[in-house]
Amino acid sequence: MDTYSLGRFPVHRIGFGAMQLPGPGVMGPPRDHDEAVAVLRRAVELGVDHIDTAQFYGPDVANELIHEALHPYPDGLALVSKVGAVRDEQGGFVPAQRPGQLRAAVEENLRTLGVDRLAAVNLRRMDEHELPADQRIPLEDQLAELVGLRAEGKIAGIGISTATHAQVRQAIEQAGIVCVQNAFSLVDRSDADVLDLCHDEGIAYVPYFPLGSAFPDMPKVTDNATVRSVAERVGASPAQVGLAWLLARRDNVLLIPGTSRVAHLEENMRIADVSLSATDIEELEGGA
Ligand SMILES: NC(=O)c1ccc[n+]([C@@H]2O[C@H](COP(=O)([O-])OP(=O)(O)OC[C@H]3O[C@@H](n4cnc5c(N)ncnc54)[C@H](OP(=O)(O)O)[C@@H]3O)[C@@H](O)[C@H]2O)c1
């Protein structure tokens, strides 16, 4: 499997996202605890050395499962988390964007994962218009807090998530970020300019919603007729085609597809073997 560098960590291009491990709505215990643990162990066995998580997945559930399944962690495993939100009792995502809240979230991630340092932490930005006044924090102040945490050795790299082209540019200049985590897939290519910027700057681009969102009522790559037809022709599943297209798009793309099922994990890990021709790619981009 090819690698790309996530700051100082050279990681395989197919990683794993832990968001599907907690229960429905990313809240509470998993549907099947033993399978969640098995998914994580199998992922590492198959070469995953980059796991994306968040303390607010569960909350705590994803991090505790990662700890249970994999601690003591293998050398070179990059654990990446995100900060900027907490959960309310109904499972709602509540903004927690103030510098002190970002620091507290990093500390919580270190504690629940049982590590002294995270490979990277993504600052999960939120739409300013949807934030209460006390949560509208200048990006500069948020990045300064993360730069401080990096200087203290609590995080090795800084990332930014759900960020515009201008915000990514600012984060590169102010904080020397190592990754950007934005939504991008065959059915939503609106972030292509940020992907290109990251490529030119040598920064990892980690698409979330790589198959479209797991949340209801959002378009799914696997439902797309063109994806399904190309998949049949190349002898792969629609999910594999959607992921292989992302890998083919740019060499700085690091995938973190998530699943709660060992069978889906194994299918997703096999995409390194799916090769898409220029004609396949043209058809996918024209039809999806
Ligand atoms: N920065 C952010 O704001 C942000 C936002 C969202 C997500 N993320 C991160 O990005 C990762 C990926 O994001 P995501 O929202 O797309 O969630 P995801 O965790 O990749 O979930 C994808 C969905 O696809 C299904 N799936 C996975 N493999 C499949 C396969 N081979 N065939 C059919 N279905 C399959 C999963 O269901 P099953 O469990 O049934 O397989 C799940 O419902 C997340 O795990 C999380 O770590 C970050």
Side-chain angles (χ1 to χ4, degrees):
M1 237 198 288
D2 285 349
T3 60
Y4 191 83
S5 107
L6 187 66
R8 68 176 76 151
F9 290 77
V11 295
H12 290 129
R13 293 188 64 208
I14 309 174
F16 179 76
M19 196 178 77
Q20 299 308 319
L21 295 180
V26 201
M27 279 295 277
R31 171 184 55 80
D32 179 336
H33 170 271
D34 292 350
E35 183 157 25
V37 169
V39 163
L40 285 160
R41 292 190 177 146
R42 184 81 180 122
V44 168
E45 210 172 86
L46 292 174
V48 164
D49 52 10
H50 168 204
I51 297 181
D52 180 78
T53 185
Q55 186 274 335
F56 52 77
Y57 291 165
D60 289 341
V61 175
N63 283 2
E64 286 172 359
L65 284 165
I66 291 168
H67 185 269
E68 177 187 344
L70 301 175
H71 195 272
Y73 301 114
D75 288 345
L77 177 66
L79 292 174
V80 176
S81 195
K82 59 190 77 67
V83 294
V86 291
R87 306 297 289 277
D88 64 20
E89 276 170 19
Q90 288 71 45
F93 287 83
V94 180
Q97 296 270 317
R98 290 197 296 271
Q101 292 176 309
L102 303 180
R103 173 171 289 269
V106 167
E107 298 285 1
E108 275 298 282
N109 276 286
L110 293 172
R111 185 183 64 75
T112 46
L113 288 166
V115 292
D116 297 329
R117 178 188 309 207
L118 293 155
V121 165
N122 284 293
L123 168 62
R124 186 13 169 124
R125 292 284 294 175
M126 294 193 179
D127 187 344
E128 292 214 355
H129 304 293
E130 291 172 12
L131 290 171
D134 71 331
Q135 286 287 332
R136 284 185 214 139
I137 312 297
L139 177 57
E140 190 182 348
D141 297 350
Q142 296 181 316
L143 290 172
E145 189 68 24
L146 293 179
V147 167
L149 286 157
R150 186 178 58 194
E152 292 165 35
K154 296 188 173 182
I155 60 184
I158 297 169
I160 191 164
S161 175
T162 321
T164 63
H165 191 279
Q167 289 167 337
V168 171
R169 165 75 56 211
Q170 182 180 341
I172 292 169
E173 283 163 16
Q174 188 188 334
I177 54 169
V178 299
C179 57
V180 170
Q181 198 174 108
N182 278 358
F184 190 68
S185 73
L186 255 174
V187 293
D188 175 8
R189 281 172 267 162
S190 54
D191 205 44
D193 60 339
V194 174
L195 168 56
D196 291 345
L197 170 64
C198 292
H199 179 264
D200 295 347
E201 296 285 340
I203 293 168
Y205 182 89
V206 187
Y208 70 81
F209 297 165
L211 296 174
S213 171
F215 293 109
D217 305 325
M218 307 256 297
K220 309 267 181 286
V221 170
T222 49
D223 292 340
N224 183 272
T226 307
V227 173
R228 296 185 80 84
S229 129
V230 171
E232 202 172 317
R233 190 168 71 227
V234 303
S237 72
Q240 287 175 317
V241 166
L243 296 174
W245 173 81
L246 283 163
L247 274 190
R249 175 91 184 196
R250 287 290 201 180
D251 65 359
N252 63 322
V253 169
L254 293 178
L255 295 181
I256 48 165
T259 176
S260 55
R261 297 170 207 279
V262 173
H264 279 168
L265 170 83
E266 291 178 343
E267 181 182 326
N268 297 346
M269 294 304 295
R270 283 196 298 271
I271 57 166
D273 303 331
V274 176
S275 112
L276 297 174
S277 68
T279 315
D280 297 330
I281 289 173
E282 201 178 319
E283 188 176 332
L284 287 167
E285 293 184 356

